[in-house]
Structures are given as C-alpha cells and as structure tokens.
Amino acid sequence: MATRIVLTAGLLGGGLIPTYFALWAPELPLAWDFRAYLHAVDLFLSGEPFVGVSPPVGNGEFVYPPVIVGMFLPYAVFPDVVSAFVVQLLIMAGFCLGTGWIIVSVIERHSGPVQHLDKLLIYLFCLASTYPVIVLGQGQVDPLLLFVLSLAFLVEERGRGFLAGVLFAIPAIVKLFPALFGVWLVRKRSWLAVKSAVATGSAAVALSVLAFGLDRNLNYAWFILTDRSRIEDLGTTLSPNFSALTLSRPLSVVVPNVDPRFYPAIALTLVAPVLVVLWQRMETVESRLLAYLGTLGGVLLLSPASNIHHVIFLYFPLVPLLFLLDHEPTRTLLHVGTLVMLFPVQPMQVETVLGMAPLPLLIETVLADAVREVLTTGTMTLWGLLIVLAGCLSFTLWAQPESTSVHLTTDDD
C-alpha cells in the first residue's frame, strides 16, 4: 500500500507542474531545451559554432559534445518547431514506457507476477510523474539515457560485459557525468565492461575530433569545465531558487568562505565512505540494486552541474526496490525519501502559493522565511536523496542476510 501511495504521489507531482506553470509562473519553459537542440542543428548546417549557444526563445543551451548534434539532424526536415517537438515527445515517451517495462520485468523475474494495478502505476510513474513531466516538457533526451542505463545494468547482471560497457558509455558520451557510473563496473570487477566502455567513449571522442576538429572539441571541454560546471554560481551569491542537486550547494552555505572549486573535493570525502560501505553487500539482487542506487545518488551529489531533474536517473533501480525489499526500515526510508524528492518546490513557488492563501501576514512571513532558509541550504530533491541514501545504508549495516527475499542463484546470471 505504501508503495502505491508513493507512485500515486508522483503522478500528483507530475500534474502539479503544468498546473503551476499555467496558472502562476511568469513564463512557460515548454520545449526550451529542444529548441536549443534545433538551434544547434541550424547553426551546424550554417557552419557556425553551436556549443553553449542559446536559441532566440528560452534559456536552454546546447551543452553536449559536438558529435551529439548528429542525434538531432533528422529534425531539420520538419517544417516547424511544433511538429518536430511532437515527434521528440512521442519518442521520449516511448523510452519512458520502455523503462517501465524493464522495471516490471525485474520485479517479475525475482518476486513473481506484478498485479495489474501496480503494473499500471509503474508505467504511469515512468511516464507522467514529476521528473518525466519535467524532462518531456523541456524536450530533453534523459528518458533515452535512463532506458540505456537500466538496460546496461540488466545485461551486466547477466554476464554480457561487452554490451554492458557499450551501453554504460552511451549516456556518458552525451552528458559526461554518467562516466562516473563506471566506478560501479570497477566495483563489480566487470573488466570486460570497463574495457568496452572506455573503447566506446574513446571512439566517440575520436569521431568528434575527426568530424569537428580539435579546437572545437577543446572549446567544448573548456565550456563544460567553466561555464557549464556552475561552480562559480555556488559562491556567496547563491540564489535560493538555484535548482542544484549537489552537495556543493549546502557546502556553499555551511562553509561560504571556502573557494567553490574545492567543493567537489570536499563532497568526495563525504560521499566516498558511504559508497565503500554500500559496496560491502552484493550477495542478493536487492543488495546489488541498493549499491547501484547509492552509486547513482553519489554521482549526482558529486557533480557540480547536476540538476533536480536528474533524479529521473534514479527511477531504476529505485522503483524495483520499492517492490522487492523486505527490510522494513529501508523500505520506509526509501518511501519517505522518494516522496520528498517528488515535490521539488522552490522558495519563490512557496511564496507565490502562500501569497494567495488567506493567512495572517505574520504567519505568511514566518513560513516563507523558514522555507527559504531550508531550501537555500538544499533543494527538496537533495534532502530526499539524502534520506534515500540513508535507507541504502540502513540495509547494508543492519539487514540480516536471511531477511532478504532474493538470493543469488545460477539462474540470476
């Protein structure tokens, strides 16, 4: 029942997002990122630089390696933005449903048939909960990358290391920070997967250099390390509405006098011991999924450029775990953490709603100030992710081996 409540809450969160933007937001960021992709295609076809360039409408930027512009070249044949966006929306929605299929398959493989209501909620959660709504509405490619990562985990579990490495490399080629997920393959000692991932990434870099030249690729790398890393944004001028999902955010509040360039290193010293603990338990499907979830969460906490919408990368293995886990303390923490993540409100949004509520001015001011303080230190998604990681740790530290529901057998591989 608790899992059904969480999945339903996700759908509520997904419905509130367009409601807020339609009724109260000053502007509607529909298809902003997709417009950046189309603008990059136009610039590429005109022979102009396109990395880091924003389109006339919206504040999106093309922030992918130059070679990735090839993914969006087919959209050049469409007569207008609307028709191209509809196609992009349908394709990415298909990948959302594909992730739902992977989740259902994992649950059924290890715990038996999934009830029809649960199956429906899983598919809807992957398609229309908070974060799919955000990324689909902006026209992003995250649903594709989530599907590929989920598939990569599955094929690696079944001993197909070469294919797993190729699949793990694809999201890293597009967004770079998923390259850190490679620590998972190292922990699994899946050396064939590591080699194929490195080879795939190296081939993509070589192709990009051959197609676009060394200078343009070096300019892209510099852009990512400086402007796109947002490290300078994490200084003393941090906006309370900055939608970051990174430990650099609370560090900028707790230790504001430290140079922001040191925040990732400080975050690493905090996250690395957690991952080492999580990686101690690998004897069951549940423990491996929890360790993988901790790895994904740790990478998001470490990356200065991670945003709240990157929570979508946690859907697998988070959702399967909500069904597979028997350890109640861990399930409870995962439920609570997921609920918190599903409502990524910002101070300005809370203040807008409070301003419309029939509250005394004093109460409204106190509530707004309290919310601003909490959400300046960390976003709702950050707090929720930390609760989820606490759940992963509770399993590793306190769950007894006999309390787990799924044990390794030769059929699992």
Side-chain angles (χ1 to χ4, degrees), residues 44-325:
F44 166 70
L45 294 176
S46 301
E48 301 176 46
F50 53 87
V51 172
V53 179
S54 296
V57 177
N59 63 358
E61 296 175 309
F62 190 87
V63 296
Y64 303 141
V67 71
I68 299 301
V69 74
M71 288 179 57
F72 307 105
L73 281 177
Y75 291 111
V77 304
F78 289 89
D80 52 52
V81 173
V82 174
S83 59
F85 177 65
V86 169
V87 173
Q88 169 80 352
L89 187 65
L90 292 174
I91 292 173
M92 292 302 132
F95 283 114
C96 287
L97 294 176
T99 300
W101 173 78
I102 290 176
I103 290 170
V104 171
S105 299
V106 169
I107 298 170
E108 291 188 331
R109 177 179 177 86
H110 298 293
S111 68
V114 177
Q115 295 185 23
H116 292 303
L117 176 58
D118 293 327
K119 192 177 295 187
L120 176 63
L121 285 173
I122 290 170
Y123 279 114
L124 288 175
F125 186 83
C126 291
L127 179 65
S129 62
T130 304
Y131 296 100
V133 166
I134 292 174
V135 299
L136 288 173
Q138 293 183 351
Q140 295 177 354
V141 295
D142 289 349
L144 164 62
L145 306 184
L146 170 62
F147 175 79
V148 173
L149 280 172
S150 305
L151 197 59
F153 180 90
L154 285 189
V155 299
E156 196 283 327
E157 280 278 296
R158 298 179 184 181
R160 301 173 65 184
F162 179 83
L163 179 58
V166 173
L167 292 173
F168 268 114
I170 291 173
I173 294 169
V174 179
K175 293 223 171 205
L176 293 192
F177 76 84
L180 296 176
F181 298 161
V183 299
W184 172 254
L185 298 177
V186 173
R187 168 58 186 90
K188 292 289 296 292
R189 295 180 176 85
S190 185
W191 304 121
L192 179 58
V194 171
K195 292 175 184 177
S196 66
V198 171
T200 303
S202 300
V205 171
L207 177 61
S208 188
V209 171
L210 287 173
F212 296 94
L214 181 60
D215 287 345
R216 184 168 290 188
N217 282 274
L218 289 176
N219 290 337
Y220 161 76
W222 180 250
F223 167 74
I224 291 297
L225 292 173
T226 55
D227 293 353
R228 187 59 182 174
S229 69
R230 302 189 182 96
I231 290 179
E232 294 302 324
D233 294 334
L234 293 166
T236 54
T237 58
L238 174 68
S239 167
N241 297 302
F242 185 58
S243 59
L245 178 61
T246 167
L247 282 184
S248 296
R249 183 188 182 97
L251 287 172
S252 69
V253 177
V254 176
V255 286
N257 295 324
V258 174
D259 190 320
R261 288 173 292 183
F262 292 110
Y263 290 158
I266 299 173
L268 179 61
T269 64
L270 298 173
V271 171
V274 175
L275 295 184
V276 170
V277 173
L278 290 178
W279 291 341
Q280 301 307 304
R281 297 283 297 272
M282 304 286 284
E283 74 275 11
T284 67
V285 170
E286 294 158 316
S287 58
R288 294 197 303 278
L289 287 170
L290 282 166
Y292 180 59
L293 174 60
T295 303
L296 299 183
V299 168
L300 294 181
L301 292 176
L302 291 174
S303 172
S306 62
N307 277 313
I308 57 175
H309 64 260
H310 290 146
V311 166
I312 195 172
F313 290 118
L314 304 178
Y315 276 35
F316 182 93
L318 181 56
V319 177
L321 282 166
L322 297 180
F323 286 89
L324 293 175
L325 279 171

Side-chain angles (χ1 to χ4, degrees), residues 377-391:
T377 305
T379 58
M380 290 289 285
T381 44
L382 175 59
W383 298 126
L385 177 54
L386 292 176
I387 296 172
V388 167
L389 289 178

